[in-house]
Amino acid sequence: MSGSPGGGGTAPSGAPSFRVWAVGGMPEVRAGDDLSKLIAAAGPGLVDGDILLVTSKIVSKAEGRVVRAADREAAIDAETVRVVARRGPLRIVENRQGLVMAAAGVDASNTPAGTVLLLPEDSDASARAIRDGLRDTLGVEVGVVVTDTFGRPWRNGLTDVAIGAAGVRVLDDLRGGTDAHGNPLSATIVATADELAAAGDLVKGKAEGLPVAVVRGLPHVVSGDDSPGARALVRSAADDMFRLGTSEAVREAVTLRRTVREFTDEPVDPGAVRRAVAAAVTAPAPHHTTPWRFVLLESAESRTRLLDAMRDAWIEDLRRDGKSEESIVRRVRRGDVLRNAPYLAVPCLVMDGSHTYGDERRDTAEREMFVVAAGAGVQNFLVALAGERLGSAWVSSTMFCRSVVREVLSLPSSWDPLGAVAVGHAAGVPRERGGRDAEAFLTVR
């Protein structure tokens, strides 16, 4: 890599190499300027197969994305569609271009006082316009990458990445190939456009007033006009394992928890359920006790045996109550959510460590403390299942036939079943929960 078209060291014979240099002579860019003409006039010496790296700031200025904003925070709000994480005044957000970054990309540097600079509306379109303009002006076929500065999870420091691209293979999919030792590559997709952007930043710098760089020697990276653009670099929500900050993830998991009544046949990962149990037993409990137990019914035989016994007990109760056979069939059918689930968990309450006062009022309060703690554990369990992208439904039926459940599952007499939780992969999108105004549930003194 060298700092000018003709400078730099010499690579060993036959070894791959490329050159990158900054383009000097660029004027101050103003709204309405034709960037391709300004770049061509700066004399970058472009040839077919070169790749042009253009800082997004000058693209935004040319496209009139400078706006008056006495309050930068208000501008960030306007560009934000989702807060990913927040710590003090710092916000990592998803902006209207679909990029996850600090402050939505709103920049108060290199712009007049009282104004802020927004990212281009469509950086891929901006890159295409520059590429087309250079083809018309200079007659060259080049790739164009629009770059911006990002921080990265788990890594200190900033680097430039591609937010727009045209005529460039933004991703190099190596899956299906082999490495130098013949091992298959099953997950290797190289972010080529980001690597180009970072290389350009080494010569453009952050404060040198050099917004454009050229890479030469990588013609295989330059593609036709049908390249997908930098949008292909943005990971979809379904595939993004790190979509949220810590507090936001907790809130979303709580929000995602829905009662799911229809499940697919996809097996449930027992490890995911055990991780949910691990979250459940972090709930608070009285007297430093552990009042939770979870019975996991992982075999179809164990689930059927329990549910058949519960059904028979329920029918007997309903007949004793004088219900009609039609009513009994209808009521028993409500338990189908448990029968159709590929996995069941039965949370139980144990009173080990509880106090006995010999006073009905205090003994009742003691049990209620333990029930509340067990309920907190069940809620933790349900929320953690949602975080594992598993659907669930808590059904209270085991509480009405505890002796039957204990007998079928061979549980100690001191274990009190607190319902059953159906677990599985939702067969469809759960119905939206009706909005609830938290103020309606508050009393302030």
Side-chain angles (χ1 to χ4, degrees), residues 46-52 131-132 134-136 138-144 166-167 219 222-225:
L46 295 175
V47 299
D48 289 348
D50 284 347
I51 302 162
L52 200 69
R131 172 176 161 84
D132 292 344
L134 290 170
R135 179 192 293 130
D136 293 342
L138 299 177
V140 292
E141 292 291 341
V142 299
V144 175
V222 178
S223 63
D225 290 330

mmCIF file of all heavy atoms in Angstrom, residues 46-52 131-132 134-136 138-144 166-167 219 222-225:
data_model
loop_
_atom_site.group_PDB
_atom_site.id
_atom_site.type_symbol
_atom_site.label_atom_id
_atom_site.label_comp_id
_atom_site.label_asym_id
_atom_site.label_seq_id
_atom_site.Cartn_x
_atom_site.Cartn_y
_atom_site.Cartn_z
ATOM 1 N N LEU A 46 -7.770 8.453 -12.613
ATOM 2 C CA LEU A 46 -8.500 7.198 -12.547
ATOM 3 C C LEU A 46 -8.352 6.378 -13.822
ATOM 4 O O LEU A 46 -8.301 6.929 -14.925
ATOM 5 C CB LEU A 46 -9.985 7.467 -12.301
ATOM 6 C CG LEU A 46 -10.357 8.116 -10.961
ATOM 7 C CD1 LEU A 46 -11.846 8.425 -10.916
ATOM 8 C CD2 LEU A 46 -9.953 7.214 -9.803
ATOM 9 N N VAL A 47 -8.308 5.060 -13.652
ATOM 10 C CA VAL A 47 -8.314 4.135 -14.779
ATOM 11 C C VAL A 47 -9.350 3.062 -14.477
ATOM 12 O O VAL A 47 -9.825 2.925 -13.340
ATOM 13 C CB VAL A 47 -6.928 3.489 -15.003
ATOM 14 C CG1 VAL A 47 -5.869 4.540 -15.305
ATOM 15 C CG2 VAL A 47 -6.512 2.652 -13.792
ATOM 16 N N ASP A 48 -9.723 2.300 -15.506
ATOM 17 C CA ASP A 48 -10.689 1.219 -15.304
ATOM 18 C C ASP A 48 -10.215 0.275 -14.196
ATOM 19 O O ASP A 48 -9.033 -0.097 -14.139
ATOM 20 C CB ASP A 48 -10.863 0.404 -16.598
ATOM 21 C CG ASP A 48 -11.606 1.179 -17.682
ATOM 22 O OD1 ASP A 48 -12.182 2.232 -17.357
ATOM 23 O OD2 ASP A 48 -11.591 0.727 -18.846
ATOM 24 N N GLY A 49 -11.152 -0.109 -13.317
ATOM 25 C CA GLY A 49 -10.819 -1.033 -12.243
ATOM 26 C C GLY A 49 -10.430 -0.365 -10.941
ATOM 27 O O GLY A 49 -10.272 -1.042 -9.918
ATOM 28 N N ASP A 50 -10.258 0.961 -10.944
ATOM 29 C CA ASP A 50 -9.991 1.670 -9.697
ATOM 30 C C ASP A 50 -11.246 1.697 -8.827
ATOM 31 O O ASP A 50 -12.382 1.530 -9.312
ATOM 32 C CB ASP A 50 -9.546 3.116 -9.962
ATOM 33 C CG ASP A 50 -8.104 3.200 -10.447
ATOM 34 O OD1 ASP A 50 -7.381 2.189 -10.352
ATOM 35 O OD2 ASP A 50 -7.710 4.287 -10.920
ATOM 36 N N ILE A 51 -11.044 1.941 -7.546
ATOM 37 C CA ILE A 51 -12.160 2.071 -6.611
ATOM 38 C C ILE A 51 -12.017 3.406 -5.898
ATOM 39 O O ILE A 51 -10.965 3.704 -5.314
ATOM 40 C CB ILE A 51 -12.170 0.919 -5.591
ATOM 41 C CG1 ILE A 51 -12.264 -0.431 -6.313
ATOM 42 C CG2 ILE A 51 -13.334 1.076 -4.615
ATOM 43 C CD1 ILE A 51 -11.850 -1.602 -5.458
ATOM 44 N N LEU A 52 -13.051 4.206 -5.962
ATOM 45 C CA LEU A 52 -13.059 5.537 -5.366
ATOM 46 C C LEU A 52 -13.750 5.469 -4.013
ATOM 47 O O LEU A 52 -14.852 4.917 -3.883
ATOM 48 C CB LEU A 52 -13.802 6.508 -6.281
ATOM 49 C CG LEU A 52 -13.538 7.998 -6.103
ATOM 50 C CD1 LEU A 52 -12.119 8.336 -6.549
ATOM 51 C CD2 LEU A 52 -14.553 8.811 -6.884
ATOM 52 N N ARG A 131 -20.542 7.284 -9.709
ATOM 53 C CA ARG A 131 -19.986 6.318 -10.677
ATOM 54 C C ARG A 131 -20.430 6.670 -12.098
ATOM 55 O O ARG A 131 -19.602 6.706 -13.026
ATOM 56 C CB ARG A 131 -20.451 4.908 -10.294
ATOM 57 C CG ARG A 131 -20.110 3.817 -11.308
ATOM 58 C CD ARG A 131 -20.557 2.469 -10.736
ATOM 59 N NE ARG A 131 -20.692 1.448 -11.757
ATOM 60 C CZ ARG A 131 -19.692 0.699 -12.221
ATOM 61 N NH1 ARG A 131 -18.480 0.869 -11.744
ATOM 62 N NH2 ARG A 131 -19.920 -0.223 -13.131
ATOM 63 N N ASP A 132 -21.718 6.958 -12.256
ATOM 64 C CA ASP A 132 -22.221 7.309 -13.588
ATOM 65 C C ASP A 132 -21.602 8.605 -14.087
ATOM 66 O O ASP A 132 -21.258 8.745 -15.271
ATOM 67 C CB ASP A 132 -23.748 7.434 -13.551
ATOM 68 C CG ASP A 132 -24.445 6.096 -13.308
ATOM 69 O OD1 ASP A 132 -23.784 5.049 -13.474
ATOM 70 O OD2 ASP A 132 -25.638 6.109 -12.963
ATOM 71 N N LEU A 134 -18.644 9.892 -13.299
ATOM 72 C CA LEU A 134 -17.247 9.685 -13.686
ATOM 73 C C LEU A 134 -17.139 8.938 -15.013
ATOM 74 O O LEU A 134 -16.243 9.193 -15.820
ATOM 75 C CB LEU A 134 -16.508 8.923 -12.591
ATOM 76 C CG LEU A 134 -16.277 9.723 -11.295
ATOM 77 C CD1 LEU A 134 -15.758 8.811 -10.196
ATOM 78 C CD2 LEU A 134 -15.294 10.869 -11.539
ATOM 79 N N ARG A 135 -18.069 8.027 -15.254
ATOM 80 C CA ARG A 135 -18.082 7.339 -16.547
ATOM 81 C C ARG A 135 -18.338 8.342 -17.670
ATOM 82 O O ARG A 135 -17.676 8.324 -18.707
ATOM 83 C CB ARG A 135 -19.153 6.249 -16.542
ATOM 84 C CG ARG A 135 -19.246 5.487 -17.874
ATOM 85 C CD ARG A 135 -20.489 4.634 -17.951
ATOM 86 N NE ARG A 135 -20.455 3.536 -17.010
ATOM 87 C CZ ARG A 135 -21.433 3.227 -16.169
ATOM 88 N NH1 ARG A 135 -22.532 3.981 -16.128
ATOM 89 N NH2 ARG A 135 -21.324 2.192 -15.370
ATOM 90 N N ASP A 136 -19.303 9.263 -17.454
ATOM 91 C CA ASP A 136 -19.624 10.251 -18.481
ATOM 92 C C ASP A 136 -18.494 11.260 -18.670
ATOM 93 O O ASP A 136 -18.200 11.683 -19.795
ATOM 94 C CB ASP A 136 -20.911 10.994 -18.105
ATOM 95 C CG ASP A 136 -22.134 10.084 -18.127
ATOM 96 O OD1 ASP A 136 -22.052 9.003 -18.755
ATOM 97 O OD2 ASP A 136 -23.150 10.439 -17.499
ATOM 98 N N LEU A 138 -15.074 11.065 -17.518
ATOM 99 C CA LEU A 138 -13.717 10.558 -17.765
ATOM 100 C C LEU A 138 -13.683 9.299 -18.625
ATOM 101 O O LEU A 138 -12.605 8.877 -19.052
ATOM 102 C CB LEU A 138 -13.017 10.259 -16.435
ATOM 103 C CG LEU A 138 -12.829 11.448 -15.474
ATOM 104 C CD1 LEU A 138 -12.183 10.974 -14.179
ATOM 105 C CD2 LEU A 138 -11.991 12.536 -16.128
ATOM 106 N N GLY A 139 -14.853 8.691 -18.839
ATOM 107 C CA GLY A 139 -14.883 7.482 -19.653
ATOM 108 C C GLY A 139 -14.264 6.285 -18.969
ATOM 109 O O GLY A 139 -13.729 5.388 -19.647
ATOM 110 N N VAL A 140 -14.315 6.212 -17.631
ATOM 111 C CA VAL A 140 -13.705 5.098 -16.905
ATOM 112 C C VAL A 140 -14.787 4.306 -16.174
ATOM 113 O O VAL A 140 -15.836 4.839 -15.803
ATOM 114 C CB VAL A 140 -12.655 5.597 -15.887
ATOM 115 C CG1 VAL A 140 -11.451 6.179 -16.595
ATOM 116 C CG2 VAL A 140 -13.262 6.607 -14.914
ATOM 117 N N GLU A 141 -14.494 3.007 -16.000
ATOM 118 C CA GLU A 141 -15.380 2.132 -15.240
ATOM 119 C C GLU A 141 -14.727 1.874 -13.890
ATOM 120 O O GLU A 141 -13.746 1.142 -13.791
ATOM 121 C CB GLU A 141 -15.605 0.810 -15.977
ATOM 122 C CG GLU A 141 -16.398 0.942 -17.260
ATOM 123 C CD GLU A 141 -17.857 1.304 -17.010
ATOM 124 O OE1 GLU A 141 -18.348 1.103 -15.870
ATOM 125 O OE2 GLU A 141 -18.509 1.818 -17.948
ATOM 126 N N VAL A 142 -15.258 2.522 -12.864
ATOM 127 C CA VAL A 142 -14.688 2.400 -11.524
ATOM 128 C C VAL A 142 -15.775 1.968 -10.546
ATOM 129 O O VAL A 142 -16.970 2.040 -10.843
ATOM 130 C CB VAL A 142 -14.068 3.731 -11.051
ATOM 131 C CG1 VAL A 142 -12.938 4.162 -11.972
ATOM 132 C CG2 VAL A 142 -15.135 4.823 -10.953
ATOM 133 N N GLY A 143 -15.338 1.511 -9.398
ATOM 134 C CA GLY A 143 -16.261 1.276 -8.294
ATOM 135 C C GLY A 143 -16.255 2.481 -7.373
ATOM 136 O O GLY A 143 -15.263 3.216 -7.292
ATOM 137 N N VAL A 144 -17.359 2.699 -6.680
ATOM 138 C CA VAL A 144 -17.463 3.830 -5.751
ATOM 139 C C VAL A 144 -18.001 3.321 -4.414
ATOM 140 O O VAL A 144 -18.985 2.570 -4.374
ATOM 141 C CB VAL A 144 -18.387 4.935 -6.299
ATOM 142 C CG1 VAL A 144 -18.576 6.042 -5.253
ATOM 143 C CG2 VAL A 144 -17.832 5.513 -7.589
ATOM 144 N N ALA A 166 -21.437 1.321 -5.251
ATOM 145 C CA ALA A 166 -21.898 1.076 -6.617
ATOM 146 C C ALA A 166 -20.737 0.490 -7.413
ATOM 147 O O ALA A 166 -19.613 0.979 -7.323
ATOM 148 C CB ALA A 166 -22.390 2.360 -7.272
ATOM 149 N N GLY A 167 -21.028 -0.567 -8.162
ATOM 150 C CA GLY A 167 -19.997 -1.178 -8.984
ATOM 151 C C GLY A 167 -18.927 -1.888 -8.183
ATOM 152 O O GLY A 167 -17.813 -2.066 -8.675
ATOM 153 N N PRO A 219 -8.881 -5.014 -9.254
ATOM 154 C CA PRO A 219 -9.940 -4.940 -10.261
ATOM 155 C C PRO A 219 -11.004 -6.020 -10.096
ATOM 156 O O PRO A 219 -12.144 -5.849 -10.538
ATOM 157 C CB PRO A 219 -9.182 -5.103 -11.584
ATOM 158 C CG PRO A 219 -7.928 -5.833 -11.220
ATOM 159 C CD PRO A 219 -7.567 -5.319 -9.863
ATOM 160 N N VAL A 222 -14.196 -4.822 -8.483
ATOM 161 C CA VAL A 222 -15.097 -3.964 -9.249
ATOM 162 C C VAL A 222 -16.059 -4.844 -10.034
ATOM 163 O O VAL A 222 -15.648 -5.821 -10.676
ATOM 164 C CB VAL A 222 -14.308 -3.035 -10.187
ATOM 165 C CG1 VAL A 222 -15.261 -2.181 -11.014
ATOM 166 C CG2 VAL A 222 -13.374 -2.147 -9.368
ATOM 167 N N SER A 223 -17.339 -4.516 -9.953
ATOM 168 C CA SER A 223 -18.373 -5.325 -10.609
ATOM 169 C C SER A 223 -19.207 -4.444 -11.525
ATOM 170 O O SER A 223 -18.934 -3.259 -11.696
ATOM 171 C CB SER A 223 -19.269 -5.997 -9.555
ATOM 172 O OG SER A 223 -19.952 -5.015 -8.800
ATOM 173 N N GLY A 224 -20.243 -5.010 -12.069
ATOM 174 C CA GLY A 224 -21.108 -4.269 -12.973
ATOM 175 C C GLY A 224 -22.084 -3.372 -12.243
ATOM 176 O O GLY A 224 -22.057 -3.235 -11.015
ATOM 177 N N ASP A 225 -22.978 -2.777 -12.999
ATOM 178 C CA ASP A 225 -23.936 -1.831 -12.437
ATOM 179 C C ASP A 225 -25.004 -2.510 -11.585
ATOM 180 O O ASP A 225 -25.764 -1.839 -10.887
ATOM 181 C CB ASP A 225 -24.625 -1.049 -13.560
ATOM 182 C CG ASP A 225 -23.670 -0.081 -14.246
ATOM 183 O OD1 ASP A 225 -22.746 0.405 -13.569
ATOM 184 O OD2 ASP A 225 -23.841 0.166 -15.454
#
